[in-house]
Amino acid sequence: GAGVSQTPSNKVTEKGKYVELRCDPISGHTALYWYRQSLGQGPEFLIYFQGTGAADDSGLPNDRFFAVRPEGSVSTLKIQRTERGDSAVYLCASSLAQPYNEQFFGPGTRLTVL
Amino acid sequence: AQSVTQLDSQVPVFEEAPVELRCNYSSSVSVYLFWYVQYPNQGLQLLLKYLSGSTLVESINGFEAEFNKSQTSFHLRKPSVHISDTAEYFCAVTRSNDYKLSFGAGTTVTVRA
């Protein structure tokens, strides 16, 4: 079956603009995660969904970042008033419910804020 | 919160030579440990994981990692590397009752003929 897909693969925007990043998880995976990977660093946790609800959003850096998963499948990460420091690769992952299950990662969206 | 330290950012190695990638973590509670690999132009893939039981875990392509609780380490080894092992390797940890992964900064392995 298909893996985790993310769109767009690349996004270039100007400082102050609004962006949406989409994640389509593996069918049947109830858990969905967003991570952010800056250059030279490992992925950094942003938010985790179990079904439709955000079970843990402790990694969101500030209130400009928001994510939704209205039907428990596709998720959208929304960034308002983008800043140059938001430039990074945004990774989405999905898994079955239990914490020991493998997280399957998408290819990422590379966001560049000019 | 957990933190993960990968002590080597770059590891050059010749083909058929052994390699060891070091990973140390800090956590006061029970954890699960993972190694993920990212091949050039591909996404992160799980290489192996430690949940419980035997402290030595193996992958299908010849890598192994040993969980050492007293040293809070989870080093990754391969006795003989191939050109195709060229990739970036990430160590990750999560508390056993949690979901989010904490990653190290990664180690880039470059295998030369």
Short mmCIF file of all heavy atoms in Angstrom, two decimals, chain B residues 1-2 14 21 24 27 32 36 42 60 62 70 80-81 94 96 98 101 104-105 111:
data_model
loop_
_atom_site.label_atom_id
_atom_site.label_comp_id
_atom_site.label_asym_id
_atom_site.label_seq_id
_atom_site.Cartn_x
_atom_site.Cartn_y
_atom_site.Cartn_z
N ALA B 1 12.19 15.49 30.36
CA ALA B 1 12.24 15.19 28.93
C ALA B 1 13.52 14.42 28.61
O ALA B 1 14.51 14.54 29.31
CB ALA B 1 12.20 16.48 28.12
N GLN B 2 13.44 13.64 27.53
CA GLN B 2 14.62 12.88 27.14
C GLN B 2 15.50 13.74 26.26
O GLN B 2 15.03 14.63 25.56
CB GLN B 2 14.20 11.64 26.31
CG GLN B 2 13.31 10.67 27.03
CD GLN B 2 11.89 11.18 27.11
OE1 GLN B 2 11.37 11.45 28.20
NE2 GLN B 2 11.26 11.37 25.98
N PHE B 14 35.87 2.85 5.10
CA PHE B 14 36.10 2.11 3.87
C PHE B 14 35.18 0.91 3.80
O PHE B 14 34.81 0.31 4.82
CB PHE B 14 37.57 1.67 3.77
CG PHE B 14 38.50 2.80 3.45
CD1 PHE B 14 39.35 3.32 4.40
CD2 PHE B 14 38.53 3.34 2.16
CE1 PHE B 14 40.21 4.37 4.10
CE2 PHE B 14 39.38 4.38 1.84
CZ PHE B 14 40.23 4.91 2.83
N LEU B 21 28.45 3.56 15.53
CA LEU B 21 27.86 4.88 15.71
C LEU B 21 27.38 4.96 17.16
O LEU B 21 26.59 4.13 17.61
CB LEU B 21 26.68 5.10 14.76
CG LEU B 21 26.94 4.80 13.28
CD1 LEU B 21 25.71 5.14 12.45
CD2 LEU B 21 28.16 5.52 12.78
N ASN B 24 24.04 8.14 23.12
CA ASN B 24 23.74 8.17 24.55
C ASN B 24 22.46 8.96 24.77
O ASN B 24 22.19 9.93 24.07
CB ASN B 24 24.90 8.80 25.33
CG ASN B 24 26.10 7.89 25.40
OD1 ASN B 24 26.95 7.94 24.52
ND2 ASN B 24 26.14 7.06 26.42
N SER B 27 17.47 9.86 30.49
CA SER B 27 16.08 9.71 30.89
C SER B 27 16.07 9.01 32.24
O SER B 27 16.86 8.11 32.48
CB SER B 27 15.29 8.89 29.89
OG SER B 27 13.97 8.68 30.35
N TYR B 32 11.96 3.39 25.24
CA TYR B 32 12.15 2.60 24.03
C TYR B 32 13.20 3.33 23.19
O TYR B 32 13.22 4.56 23.15
CB TYR B 32 10.85 2.50 23.23
CG TYR B 32 9.72 1.77 23.92
CD1 TYR B 32 8.39 2.19 23.76
CD2 TYR B 32 9.94 0.65 24.71
CE1 TYR B 32 7.35 1.53 24.37
CE2 TYR B 32 8.89 -0.02 25.34
CZ TYR B 32 7.61 0.43 25.17
OH TYR B 32 6.56 -0.23 25.78
N TYR B 36 16.97 5.12 13.25
CA TYR B 36 16.38 5.39 11.94
C TYR B 36 17.50 5.71 10.96
O TYR B 36 18.54 6.26 11.33
CB TYR B 36 15.41 6.58 12.00
CG TYR B 36 14.03 6.25 12.51
CD1 TYR B 36 13.78 6.13 13.87
CD2 TYR B 36 12.98 6.03 11.62
CE1 TYR B 36 12.50 5.82 14.33
CE2 TYR B 36 11.71 5.72 12.07
CZ TYR B 36 11.47 5.62 13.43
OH TYR B 36 10.22 5.31 13.87
N GLN B 42 15.86 10.07 0.27
CA GLN B 42 14.74 9.25 0.74
C GLN B 42 14.30 9.72 2.12
O GLN B 42 14.99 10.50 2.78
CB GLN B 42 15.15 7.78 0.80
CG GLN B 42 15.46 7.17 -0.56
CD GLN B 42 15.68 5.67 -0.46
OE1 GLN B 42 15.15 5.01 0.41
NE2 GLN B 42 16.48 5.15 -1.37
N ILE B 60 17.74 -6.49 9.53
CA ILE B 60 17.83 -7.50 8.48
C ILE B 60 19.05 -7.30 7.59
O ILE B 60 19.44 -8.19 6.87
CB ILE B 60 16.56 -7.52 7.61
CG1 ILE B 60 16.33 -6.15 6.96
CG2 ILE B 60 15.36 -7.93 8.43
CD1 ILE B 60 15.19 -6.16 5.97
N GLY B 62 22.19 -6.52 8.63
CA GLY B 62 23.48 -6.73 9.28
C GLY B 62 23.87 -5.76 10.38
O GLY B 62 24.93 -5.91 10.99
N SER B 70 23.07 0.81 32.23
CA SER B 70 23.96 1.46 33.20
C SER B 70 24.72 2.63 32.55
O SER B 70 25.01 3.63 33.20
CB SER B 70 24.94 0.46 33.79
OG SER B 70 25.77 -0.06 32.77
N SER B 80 30.87 -5.16 8.81
CA SER B 80 31.43 -4.97 7.47
C SER B 80 30.45 -4.15 6.64
O SER B 80 29.36 -4.64 6.31
CB SER B 80 31.68 -6.34 6.82
OG SER B 80 32.13 -6.17 5.49
N VAL B 81 30.81 -2.92 6.31
CA VAL B 81 29.86 -2.03 5.63
C VAL B 81 29.98 -2.14 4.12
O VAL B 81 31.02 -2.55 3.58
CB VAL B 81 30.05 -0.56 6.05
CG1 VAL B 81 29.73 -0.39 7.53
CG2 VAL B 81 31.45 -0.05 5.72
N THR B 94 11.99 7.30 23.18
CA THR B 94 10.71 7.74 23.70
C THR B 94 10.47 7.05 25.03
O THR B 94 10.94 5.94 25.24
CB THR B 94 9.56 7.44 22.72
OG1 THR B 94 8.34 7.98 23.25
CG2 THR B 94 9.37 5.95 22.51
N SER B 96 8.43 4.90 27.63
CA SER B 96 7.65 3.71 27.29
C SER B 96 6.15 3.95 27.36
O SER B 96 5.37 3.14 26.86
CB SER B 96 8.04 2.53 28.19
OG SER B 96 7.88 2.89 29.54
N ASP B 98 4.87 6.94 26.24
CA ASP B 98 4.73 8.15 25.43
C ASP B 98 4.79 7.79 23.95
O ASP B 98 5.06 6.64 23.60
CB ASP B 98 5.84 9.14 25.80
CG ASP B 98 5.51 10.57 25.41
OD1 ASP B 98 4.49 10.78 24.72
OD2 ASP B 98 6.28 11.47 25.79
N LEU B 101 8.91 11.00 19.65
CA LEU B 101 10.31 10.62 19.61
C LEU B 101 11.20 11.84 19.82
O LEU B 101 10.93 12.92 19.28
CB LEU B 101 10.65 9.98 18.25
CG LEU B 101 9.99 8.65 17.92
CD1 LEU B 101 10.24 8.27 16.48
CD2 LEU B 101 10.47 7.56 18.87
N GLY B 104 18.46 12.34 18.10
CA GLY B 104 19.78 12.95 18.10
C GLY B 104 19.98 13.76 16.83
O GLY B 104 19.13 13.77 15.94
N ALA B 105 21.14 14.40 16.74
CA ALA B 105 21.42 15.29 15.61
C ALA B 105 21.80 14.53 14.34
O ALA B 105 21.86 15.12 13.26
CB ALA B 105 22.52 16.27 15.98
N VAL B 111 30.62 5.67 3.03
CA VAL B 111 31.41 4.48 2.77
C VAL B 111 32.14 4.65 1.44
O VAL B 111 31.51 4.92 0.41
CB VAL B 111 30.53 3.22 2.73
CG1 VAL B 111 31.38 1.98 2.50
CG2 VAL B 111 29.73 3.09 4.03
#
